[in-house]
Amino acid sequence: MNQHTTPLLLSADDKAEVLRRIPLTDSEVGVRYDEAFVEDLLFKQPSALPIREIDSTYSHPVPICTQLSTRVGSLDVLYVTPEGRLVIVEAKLWRNPEARRKVVAQIIDYAAELARWAYTDLEREVAKRRGVTSDTLFSLVRAKHPNIAEAEFVDNVSKSLRQGRFLLLICGDGIREELTSIAEFLDRCTTLDLTFGLVELAIYGTSDRRQLVLPRVLAKTVTIRRQVLRIESNNYSVIEEDDAEEPEQSLSAEQVVYVQFWKDLERAMALDDASQPPITVAKAANTSLRMPSPSAWVTLDFLKNPRLMRVFLAFNRGEPGDSFYNRLTTERDQIEAELPSGTTWESKDGRHRVAISSQYSDLSDDNERQRAIRWFSLTANQFVNVFRPRLARYLAEL
């Protein structure tokens, strides 16, 4: 339902002008209102984005560039906040249900791709797009917010990329997608930390050919937190991965053990693939490594009964997870030759995994902790070497 009422423009002599809504595809006024118009408007006027109504932690975005090139396409507009948070905007005119589904999947693909980048990758691509050579991100933000510290800003941007923490906005006209439909796409993106919003831009024309832009939030989601697949006693469930940034003094004794273990493992883990983001330090018995597609990930975890430590590749239910797993099965003999003996393949209720496990005893024993760290380091590195390039290839061929 259209919630915009007809606006009135009052002049100094109390005359009222009823403004006419201009569809973004209307060329009668002499301007072609299209996606390029929306993109240019939002880049030049970031205050038109009602970000505070969606997530105030992304306030004061600084426009960085338009049409940023990535491996999965060019995203429309990129912003960075003074706190190092990233905002991705897609300017779209949704004319049919299929286009709506595609644009939501598209913006998630952009987020998944950026989550694979380091700060230097982002800096390089932005510099190429803007035609400059150095200090791109920090210089642009410092010009608007001169008191920010460079080291802290770089660290914060790096952390946003590493954690896949982004605000995704789809902005335009003709947007009528229901939030329940959008959740279908966000459900496939369990390895990122996303906030999502739909923004309608209603444009009205005045008699002297000026335009009045009225942004409106149509829908927003709560943050989509990281999740991992837990498989115990033949039961499948998706659980939320705990936030490792909580102060350790508020943790239970068991959580302190896990936080310290994952920290030690993160420091010790040497991955051959330089493009692989590190594990997330968690206060739970599990953590994960992101794969090229958000529909697949490698989980590292501990089971208590029986006492097993495991590394397994898992997929979201449905597509493209089904296709990824099926493609892997065609290379099963070669994959098993590259992985340690004892690797198992399992499909159940539409869920798939490739896993290996080893027994452990007591993590409070230093020798046992070091053995577990060595096992996880070696095994996780093997899984990354085997599965990451294959999944990247499958994703490119979709």
Side-chain angles (χ1 to χ4, degrees):
M1 182 177 65
N2 188 354
Q3 298 179 9
H4 283 297
T5 58
T6 302
L8 298 176
L9 182 63
L10 300 179
S11 62
D13 56 3
D14 290 334
K15 289 183 179 180
E17 178 185 352
V18 178
L19 302 187
R20 180 178 72 88
R21 176 118 182 225
I22 304 173
L24 286 179
T25 55
D26 193 348
S27 58
E28 294 178 7
V29 294
V31 177
R32 182 68 179 179
Y33 290 100
D34 55 13
E35 292 168 355
F37 168 81
V38 176
E39 177 185 309
D40 186 64
L41 170 67
L42 295 178
F43 181 74
K44 293 178 178 177
Q45 304 293 338
S47 60
L49 294 170
I51 286 178
R52 283 188 174 275
E53 297 180 34
I54 299 171
D55 189 335
S56 61
T57 61
Y58 290 89
S59 297
H60 311 298
V62 176
I64 300 300
C65 69
T66 62
Q67 294 299 308
L68 179 68
S69 179
T70 76
R71 187 178 57 87
V72 294
S74 297
L75 62 87
D76 286 347
V77 191
L78 176 70
Y79 309 83
V80 177
T81 73
E83 295 75 29
R85 290 176 172 261
L86 301 172
V87 181
I88 301 171
V89 168
E90 276 294 290
K92 292 295 177 184
L93 308 181
W94 287 359
R95 299 181 178 92
N96 59 71
E98 182 61 24
R100 297 171 189 175
R101 294 168 64 87
K102 286 182 178 178
V103 70
V104 176
Q106 183 180 45
I107 197 170
I108 290 175
D109 284 343
Y110 292 148
E113 179 64 15
L114 287 189
R116 301 176 66 239
W117 289 10
Y119 182 89
T120 53
D121 299 320
L122 181 61
E123 181 86 339
R124 180 188 65 249
E125 295 304 320
V126 169
K128 285 163 56 176
R129 178 68 185 109
R130 294 181 61 91
V132 296
T133 57
S134 62
D135 297 331
T136 306
L137 292 175
F138 178 67
S139 297
L140 289 170
V141 177
R142 184 176 57 180
K144 302 284 186 180
H145 303 274
N147 293 326
I148 65 171
E150 183 172 11
E152 183 179 0
F153 174 78
V154 172
D155 286 346
N156 288 341
V157 173
S158 299
K159 184 176 180 181
S160 294
L161 292 167
R162 185 172 65 251
Q163 297 180 343
R165 182 174 295 174
F166 310 120
L167 171 61
L168 309 182
L169 298 177
I170 296 176
C171 304
D173 202 4
I175 297 176
R176 298 293 183 270
E177 184 74 20
E178 295 181 359
L179 189 59
T180 53
S181 298
I182 290 171
E184 173 187 339
F185 292 96
L186 295 184
D187 234 11
R188 297 166 51 191
C189 198
T190 58
T191 60
L192 304 181
D193 189 354
L194 306 176
T195 303
F196 184 89
L198 296 177
V199 177
E200 182 185 45
L201 296 177
I203 300 180
Y204 293 84
T206 67
S207 58
D208 57 358
R209 303 180 70 81
R210 291 182 296 165
Q211 291 86 43
L212 175 67
V213 180
L214 295 181
R216 176 166 67 98
V217 177
L218 290 182
K220 60 182 178 179
T221 68
V222 296
T223 301
I224 308 300
R225 295 292 179 188
R226 287 180 178 80
Q227 296 172 322
V228 295
L229 178 66
R230 177 171 282 292
I231 309 174
E232 293 187 20
S233 303
N234 296 321
N235 292 319
Y236 287 67
S237 62
V238 177
I239 61 173
E240 198 169 292
E241 183 179 308
D242 296 301
D243 188 348
E245 295 178 10
E246 185 175 337
E248 290 189 19
Q249 60 265 28
S250 66
L251 306 181
S252 68
E254 181 181 53
Q255 289 171 333
V256 169
V257 170
Y258 288 131
V259 168
Q260 189 58 54
F261 181 86
W262 299 128
K263 283 183 177 180
D264 291 344
L265 178 61
E266 181 184 29
R267 285 192 290 266
M269 187 179 292
L271 297 170
D272 297 331
D273 191 332
S275 68
Q276 175 62 54
I279 62 170
T280 300
V281 175
K283 65 187 180 192
N286 50 72
T287 185
S288 61
L289 288 163
R290 294 197 296 273
M291 291 289 101
S293 169
S295 294
W297 62 94
V298 172
T299 291
L300 293 65
D301 75 350
F302 290 98
L303 293 184
K304 293 183 179 179
N305 188 21
R307 283 185 172 268
L308 294 176
M309 48 188 178
R310 305 181 303 176
V311 174
F312 60 87
L313 174 71
F315 307 86
N316 278 356
R317 189 191 302 270
E319 292 295 341
D322 290 344
S323 295
F324 290 156
Y325 182 77
N326 290 335
R327 289 283 300 273
L328 288 172
T329 60
T330 66
E331 301 184 57
R332 180 167 177 171
D333 290 344
Q334 181 178 352
I335 288 172
E336 289 184 343
E338 298 173 15
L339 289 176
S341 61
T343 301
T344 62
W345 299 64
E346 183 177 349
S347 292
K348 181 180 177 66
D349 299 330
R351 298 282 192 182
H352 318 290
R353 68 164 179 162
V354 183
I356 191 167
S357 63
S358 178
Q359 292 185 329
Y360 76 99
S361 56
D362 184 3
L363 291 180
S364 64
D365 178 80
D366 186 62
N367 289 332
E368 184 65 6
R369 280 174 53 82
Q370 294 305 314
R371 187 182 76 82
I373 287 173
R374 288 193 298 272
W375 184 84
F376 273 123
S377 297
L378 175 63
T379 308
N381 186 51
Q382 290 174 306
F383 267 59
V384 169
N385 290 343
V386 168
F387 293 117
R388 187 174 184 84
R390 287 180 167 88
L391 290 172
R393 171 160 48 89
Y394 300 163
L395 182 64
E397 294 171 357
L398 283 180

